[in-house]
Amino acid sequence: MNKIFNPRLDQMTYNAFNRSLDPTYNYSANDIFLLSKSFLESHLNIEYAIAPPFELDQEERSLSNVLHHILSSFQTHQTPTFAALRHQNGLWTLLVLLPEAKRPVMLFYDPQTGEASEKRREDIETFLQENYKDIEFKYSQEESNRDETMTG
């Protein structure tokens, strides 16, 4: 296993790259950002933006505040935008905003299914309907076809 040492603290720093085989390792916001950047740089030849990963809470980093921030930046720059959201239960979800010709699209990916997943999706969809009606919303529908289908 590769080790990365922080000389100031003289302790090993774990990250998604050196803990990739450890199923108990929980990704940090920095891990998500670095993995996203690495993946996109190796697969996309277009201009895009990666929002800093947001860890949601009940106050200044509420879902609505974070979505307003991401969407206002997207509307200003009109470039494909990727944003990871860490919910209070520690789960990461992904938003992708695409400036399509007819109407901008937000894709939402949640790796879980069930009531909690449904609530997260509904919260985002309701927010868009109330504040950004011009953006079409699509989301992953079910575990079995998650890699094939987005619906809206």
Side-chain angles (χ1 to χ4, degrees):
M1 169 182 15
N2 293 330
K3 295 180 181 176
I4 299 173
F5 288 93
N6 182 333
R8 283 181 249 156
L9 300 176
D10 197 29
Q11 68 183 26
M12 187 165 56
T13 302
Y14 293 109
N15 62 49
F17 296 102
N18 65 20
R19 302 304 293 178
S20 63
L21 299 177
D22 180 358
T24 64
Y25 178 73
N26 290 318
Y27 286 0
S28 69
N30 192 52
D31 288 333
I32 297 295
F33 179 77
L34 292 173
L35 288 168
S36 300
K37 188 173 186 304
S38 174
F39 178 79
L40 293 172
E41 285 176 350
S42 65
H43 289 87
L44 290 181
N45 292 322
I46 60 170
E47 186 177 336
Y48 61 86
I50 302 174
F54 291 97
E55 298 198 35
L56 303 175
D57 62 32
Q58 295 296 326
E59 302 188 14
E60 64 190 52
R61 292 209 180 241
S62 68
L63 180 62
S64 62
N65 287 346
V66 167
L67 289 176
H68 271 302
H69 176 78
I70 294 167
L71 288 161
S72 65
S73 178
F74 170 73
Q75 288 183 322
T76 300
H77 302 292
Q78 288 296 308
T79 58
T81 301
F82 301 83
L85 306 177
R86 185 174 188 184
H87 299 267
Q88 291 178 335
N89 64 354
L91 173 78
W92 287 98
T93 59
L94 176 67
L95 298 175
V96 179
L97 291 150
L98 302 170
E100 297 294 321
K102 293 182 183 178
R103 181 176 178 194
V105 175
M106 176 188 279
L107 307 175
F108 176 64
Y109 175 78
D110 189 330
Q112 291 184 338
T113 57
E115 286 181 34
S117 175
E118 202 52 34
K119 169 99 170 77
R120 285 188 290 272
R121 181 193 60 78
E122 288 172 359
D123 288 348
I124 292 171
E125 190 168 18
T126 299
F127 175 85
L128 284 177
Q129 290 170 351
E130 292 173 356
N131 299 283
Y132 294 87
K133 292 178 180 153
D134 62 317
I135 297 178
E136 182 180 355
F137 183 68
K138 295 184 177 187
Y139 58 93
S140 57
Q141 188 171 23
E142 41 182 281
E143 192 90 12
S144 62
N145 66 359
R146 199 171 287 278
D147 294 332
E148 303 167 15
T149 306
M150 295 295 277
T151 187

